[in-house]
Amino acid sequence: MPGSSKRQRGEIEKLPSGSLRVRVYAGLDALSGKRNYLVETVPAGPKAAAEAEKVRRRLVHQVDERRNPRTKATVNQLMDRYLELLDVEETTLDRYEQTIRVHIRPLLGHIPLAKLDGETLDNHQAILRRCRAHCDGRPFVEHAVDGPHDCLEKCRLHVCRPLATSTIRKVHFCLSGALARAVRWRWITVNPLDQAEPPRGGRSDPSPPTADQAAAILNAAFPDVMWGCLLWLAMTTGARRGELCAMRWGLLDLDRAVLTIRSSIAQQGTRTWEKDTKTHQQRRIALDNDTVALLGSYRERCGENATAVGTTLALGGRLFSASVDHSTWLRPSSVSNRYARMCRRLGYDMNLHQLRHYSATELIAAGVDARTVAGRLGHGGGGSTTLRAYTAWVAEADQRAMKSSSVRMPPPPIQLSNREFDRQEVNSKVSGPYSVIASDLRAAIRCGAIATGEPLPTISALMNQYNVSAGTAHRAISSLRDDGLIVTKRGQRSIVLTDRSHRSCVD
């Protein structure tokens, strides 16, 4: 026939170029409700008619076997539907939406799902690895303002910065979840992500503060009692920042030395609200004697402050609050920002989450089993997450694991009481136990009782002799190291470094 050749199922149409277009009806579009056709074009040639017939039969078989895409939806339309049906917390949904808006829609959003393949997805990942701004590699100027203008100092030549591996994995996770649903909904028959190269696994590289840094952080924090106690609990419990902000007086049992964590404070922009913990499970954390004494004195001081202005602590009040009656919670972002600013003043580039790393690392190094540490941190998986992502290896851990030793936690810089609190009181108490140990060791080195090249007493020996914690003994050793009197190495005893003229010790 001159115009077209119709069959019982599908049709073959001759185009002006001489090519043949095969079209087979495949039902209603699952998204739009319109008629959906499978279309394929066969180039012109002497065998074009026979080839077009083969294509028609193949398309018919796809429809009969339900192997055909049920929609002509694009990636953008799939992402809209995916986010609409996604059942996650509000903060998680916000992160998904941002990842999809910034890194998926601009590059893949216009592509029909039926044309999405492994090569396209590999190219997409390559662009993210090359530049987070999705540039094509050609040099251009990043302008500070839009529209015509005379370039300012902030208008600079663009420098490509690759997207972080963790963010690339988030992009992959969003695509994986959406395309898996597309297959389940029969929008597509094959998941193209199975044909693409997955991103490389993220490497966990926790960098918790050292014992010396932790002691310096606490010393700087405790002039503000509430701030100091918050950071102390972050170190000893490993609680997340939202959990620290949500802690209530009613869930603190000092008689049994137990703190119960049931909720967390979430934040999106300036809005905050209370929600379940990350794992949707409450946990009870045992407290050590120092923490119990510290929190007991802190609660007395909070009660006195409330009474002084004619009020009382609110029923169900928060441990840490900007209001006198402790009826409100702190904003998580303000806690993180304050900690970062304080660390910068101390010369450290640190964030609040590293205190969680510190707690996990010190517990593991002290010989506490991973399952117990995971329970304190609120991890699942029987401790595998804890070991993989939240603990830094300590060289002497294998030695101390076989011994009975306390966790290397700095001592409380202050002992709170009902007396007036001021900075002078803090300084006098901070320079107490560790300075006594350091002074005795300096005297022993000076008079030759400990000669050059000889080791200092072990940490355990100092703990027993002076009745102090491991953190206090470590701090005394660090003081001698800072003065250039000794040299220290991980897993080895400290050695006297300087050559002093030996004099008789004076009793």
Side-chain angles (χ1 to χ4, degrees):
M1 300 180 63
S4 65
S5 176
K6 293 186 177 181
R7 303 290 187 272
Q8 184 177 2
R9 298 275 303 278
E11 61 181 15
I12 301 175
E13 179 182 5
K14 187 173 183 179
L15 301 177
S17 63
S19 300
L20 300 179
R21 182 168 59 194
V22 183
R23 192 170 69 155
V24 175
Y25 176 67
L28 298 179
D29 191 296
L31 188 64
S32 64
K34 298 180 179 180
R35 293 172 67 88
N36 184 26
Y37 289 92
L38 303 182
V39 180
E40 191 169 325
T41 301
V42 178
K47 298 182 179 180
E51 186 64 27
E53 179 60 22
K54 291 180 181 179
V55 171
R56 185 194 68 82
R57 289 198 298 268
R58 174 167 53 81
L59 296 181
V60 168
H61 288 318
Q62 286 184 12
V63 174
D64 291 340
E65 296 173 3
R66 297 186 178 182
R67 292 186 289 108
N68 62 291
R70 293 183 57 199
T71 179
K72 293 184 172 141
T74 62
V75 173
N76 270 338
Q77 291 173 304
L78 172 62
M79 291 302 167
D80 291 338
R81 186 63 172 160
Y82 172 65
L83 293 173
E84 179 184 347
L85 300 179
L86 195 60
D87 183 18
V88 293
E89 292 184 356
E90 187 173 346
T91 52
T92 304
L93 180 62
D94 182 65
R95 289 195 294 268
Y96 281 21
E97 289 178 339
Q98 181 180 8
T99 300
I100 292 172
R101 181 180 67 254
V102 175
H103 298 299
I104 295 180
R105 293 188 188 275
L107 299 173
L108 301 177
H110 64 284
I111 301 177
L113 289 176
K115 295 184 178 181
L116 196 63
D117 56 20
E119 181 184 4
T120 303
L121 293 173
D122 283 341
N123 289 335
H124 173 246
Q125 189 180 136
I127 292 173
L128 300 182
R129 290 197 304 267
R130 182 179 66 238
C131 181
R132 62 184 61 195
H134 313 152
C135 74
D136 57 4
R138 300 176 183 177
F140 68 95
V141 176
E142 291 182 329
H143 296 282
V145 295
D146 297 330
H149 66 282
D150 294 330
C151 285
L152 309 173
E153 292 182 359
K154 294 183 179 180
C155 299
R156 299 178 180 178
L157 186 67
H158 170 73
V159 177
C160 291
R161 291 187 302 155
L163 201 61
T165 302
S166 58
T167 307
I168 294 178
R169 289 177 62 84
K170 290 178 183 178
V171 173
H172 181 84
F173 184 81
C174 291
L175 285 171
S176 176
L179 291 173
R181 294 200 180 197
V183 173
R184 192 164 65 250
W185 297 335
R186 290 189 55 241
W187 286 19
I188 52 178
T189 58
V190 177
N191 190 338
L193 207 60
D194 295 337
Q195 305 166 359
E197 186 75 19
R200 67 175 184 268
R203 294 182 58 185
S204 178
D205 187 21
S207 54
T210 63
D212 296 337
Q213 290 172 332
I217 289 169
L218 289 177
N219 292 341
F222 261 100
D224 182 345
V225 183
M226 183 194 73
W227 180 237
C229 288
L230 186 148
L231 296 187
W232 176 267
L233 276 185
M235 288 185 183
T236 55
T237 65
R240 302 176 178 91
R241 68 170 188 173
E243 295 170 346
L244 291 167
C245 295
M247 290 178 178
R248 297 177 181 267
W249 288 117
L251 299 178
L252 173 63
D253 189 344
L254 294 179
D255 294 332
R256 294 181 174 82
V258 171
L259 174 64
T260 302
I261 296 179
R262 289 183 178 174
S263 60
S264 178
I265 302 302
Q267 179 174 353
Q268 186 176 19
T270 58
R271 186 172 68 91
T272 60
W273 68 95
E274 190 168 12
K275 66 179 186 65
D276 288 341
T277 61
K278 187 174 182 179
T279 56
H280 306 285
Q281 293 178 349
Q282 70 174 20
R283 62 186 189 275
R284 292 163 57 86
I285 299 178
L287 305 176
D288 60 275
N289 293 335
D290 285 341
T291 303
V292 170
L294 195 65
L295 292 180
S297 298
Y298 170 59
R299 184 163 62 181
E300 291 179 7
R301 185 173 295 276
C302 292
E304 292 174 358
N305 292 340
T307 303
V309 296
T311 185
T312 59
L313 293 180
L315 184 65
R318 311 289 171 170
L319 262 67
F320 310 110
S321 173
S323 56
V324 179
D325 63 352
H326 286 238
S327 58
T328 60
W329 56 64
L330 295 178
R331 183 177 296 174
S333 63
S334 66
V335 174
S336 295
N337 293 336
R338 181 177 181 180
Y339 181 80
R341 289 195 301 269
M342 184 187 73
C343 287
R344 282 196 296 270
R345 290 195 297 270
L346 295 173
Y348 306 146
D349 181 15
M350 295 184 181
N351 58 69
L352 185 66
H353 196 73
Q354 288 173 301
L355 296 185
R356 186 168 163 86
H357 297 168
Y358 177 84
S359 179
T361 300
E362 292 302 323
L363 288 169
I364 293 291
V368 181
D369 65 277
R371 186 177 295 274
T372 301
V373 178
R376 288 180 67 88
L377 297 181
H379 286 159
S384 59
T385 301
T386 307
L387 288 173
R388 183 178 64 252
Y390 282 87
T391 57
W393 171 249
V394 180
E396 65 270 22
D398 57 343
Q399 300 175 16
R400 289 195 285 152
M402 301 305 296
K403 302 176 182 179
S404 176
S405 176
S406 60
V407 177
R408 191 173 60 187
M409 185 65 62
I414 60 173
Q415 298 292 330
L416 293 178
S417 66
N418 293 331
R419 291 176 294 161
E420 185 65 23
F421 180 85
D422 56 28
R423 185 179 296 273
Q424 184 177 0
E425 179 184 357
V426 173
N427 293 336
S428 65
K429 292 182 180 296
V430 169
S431 60
Y434 89 92
S435 61
V436 174
I437 303 174
S439 178
D440 291 348
L441 292 175
R442 284 193 188 95
I445 295 173
R446 188 176 299 114
C447 71
I450 306 177
T452 300
E454 291 184 356
L456 293 182
T458 64
I459 295 297
S460 298
L462 294 175
M463 291 168 56
N464 295 331
Q465 180 179 352
Y466 292 91
N467 193 24
V468 296
S469 68
T472 302
H474 276 286
R475 191 175 176 195
I477 298 297
S478 298
S479 177
L480 299 179
R481 182 194 62 200
D482 295 340
D483 292 342
L485 297 176
I486 63 172
V487 60
T488 60
K489 294 182 179 180
R490 280 192 175 275
Q492 300 179 14
R493 293 170 63 180
S494 301
I495 303 298
V496 175
L497 183 62
T498 57
D499 187 10
R500 300 287 183 179
S501 59
H502 291 192
R503 300 192 299 265
S504 298
C505 295
V506 179
D507 294 337

